[in-house]
Amino acid sequence: MPALTRLRIAGFKSFADPVSLELLPGLTGIVGPNGCGKSNIVEALRWAMGENSARAMRGGEMDDVIFAGTTGRASRNFAEVTLTIEPAEGETLPDPYAAEAALEIRRRIERGSGSSYRAQGAEIRARDVQTLFADLGSGARSSGMVSQGRVSALVNAKPEERRQVLEEAAGIAGLHARRHEAELKLRAAEANLERAQELATRLESDAEGLRKQAKQAARYRSISDLIRAAETEHLAVLRARAAEAAAQNASLLDAARAAEQQAAAEAEAAEAALAEAEAALSAPREAEAAARTALERRRMEAERLAAEIARAAQEAEAAATRLAALRADLAHAARARQDAESACARLAAEQSALAARQSALPAEIEAAAAARRDAEATLAAAEQASEAAAARAAEAEAARREAAAFVREAEARESAAARQ
Ligand code: ATP
């Protein structure tokens, strides 16, 4: 059986500095005072064998295994534990390290980044490390590793846990781990197979669709060929018709050219005749121009006269309106004159009446002055009478008061007499 021959600890728990432990054949004992780090050595061993529970390492999280510092030393940022395993005389290491003389397993953790495993310097999975130690009848959870207070737990262990101890003793714990891994692989393969079957079904239905599309494409191709043949025939017919039309057009073109030549000759003759006619036309044209000028003059004269006639008619109409207005004014003036004459007569009569009145006025004024004098005398007399009346009234008031006092006195006497 291969054996652990060396343990190297650096930055792990209380081991701030690198420490190397040689494990010689036979029994090795580690002694020391409480808290000096004995259990930390066993934990370093279990940790390097693949322990992944921080609680099992007496911590809250896996980073707690890194040296946390003391009053005199700063903390470290990583921890590393290296195990060296060597085969016994005449044996080999488990596969795939059978050819190696010694196997070096290293686990390293960096603060905040998790841990990694290396075997002979090459990176490997945690599961491979766990399987390797299971094959060696050891491991982080092996019953061969008994932590403090775990002996009583082993005594009270469940049948399943006891079976694990027996399997380790028999050296088949690795087979169990392998079987578990094989089962996981089998389940993954079954899931892959299922997925592959689903994919095959989907591809089959896709292939069916593609077959239909291929049939449609073949049909489309044969119909396209038919259409192309029909189009070719149609084009041949069109070409024959076009050739026929071209021949007809050529003869028509010849006829048109002959007609054009004839028309050109006729046009030439017509041009000569036109030149002659132009020459003969100059005298009548001048006469026509003179006649046109005279006509224009007459037309303008006629327009001017018509305008004058219209203006005269407007003026005559305005004069008639004015005449009617003047007549009405005249009739009005005649009536006004009559009214003025009768008013004059009336005024003359009033004037003579006023003159007569004016001559009578001095006597009237004299009479009025006398009347005024009489009135003033009457007023003075009235005032005197008024004053006398006021005096009489005062006297009467005094007499009334006296009489009232007399009455009151009489009444008092009468009531006094009645009381007696
Ligand atoms: P006992 O004989 O009582 O079981 P021990 O020798 O087994 O003690 P350990 O339990 O291995 O001692 O070590 C405990 C010591 O390790 C404590 O002093 C503790 O402070 C220290 N320690 C644990 N984790 C760390 C850490 N991450 N960084 C620094 N020191 C640590």
Side-chain angles (χ1 to χ4, degrees), residues 2 96 108 115 196 317 353:
R108 179 186 170 94
S115 63
E317 204 174 314

Side-chain angles (χ1 to χ4, degrees), residues 266-276:
E266 281 171 9
E268 221 169 289
E271 261 174 28
L274 184 65
E276 267 174 39

Side-chain angles (χ1 to χ4, degrees), residues 13-14 33-40 58 64 66-68 148:
K13 291 214 167 185
S14 53
N34 289 136
C36 73
K38 302 182 291 290
S39 299
N40 287 348
R58 297 186 294 170
D64 291 343
I66 302 172
F67 176 68
Q148 272 175 4

Side-chain angles (χ1 to χ4, degrees), residues 67-127:
F67 176 68
T70 58
T71 43
R73 296 202 65 165
S75 63
R76 302 284 297 266
N77 279 329
F78 73 92
E80 200 173 79
V81 176
T82 312
L83 309 180
T84 307
I85 297 156
E86 285 174 27
E89 195 72 36
E91 286 183 353
T92 54
L93 288 167
D95 282 333
Y97 308 104
E100 307 284 347
L103 173 61
E104 203 177 76
I105 305 286
R106 181 180 305 160
R107 183 175 183 180
R108 179 186 170 94
I109 184 167
E110 284 185 23
R111 215 179 276 285
S113 309
S115 63
S116 61
Y117 295 84
R118 283 178 185 276
Q120 302 298 69
E123 196 155 339
I124 55 167
R125 300 177 306 161
R127 181 170 292 281

Side-chain angles (χ1 to χ4, degrees), residues 342-356:
S342 59
C344 274
R346 208 165 52 245
L347 284 173
E350 278 178 11
Q351 193 179 12
S352 56
L354 283 172

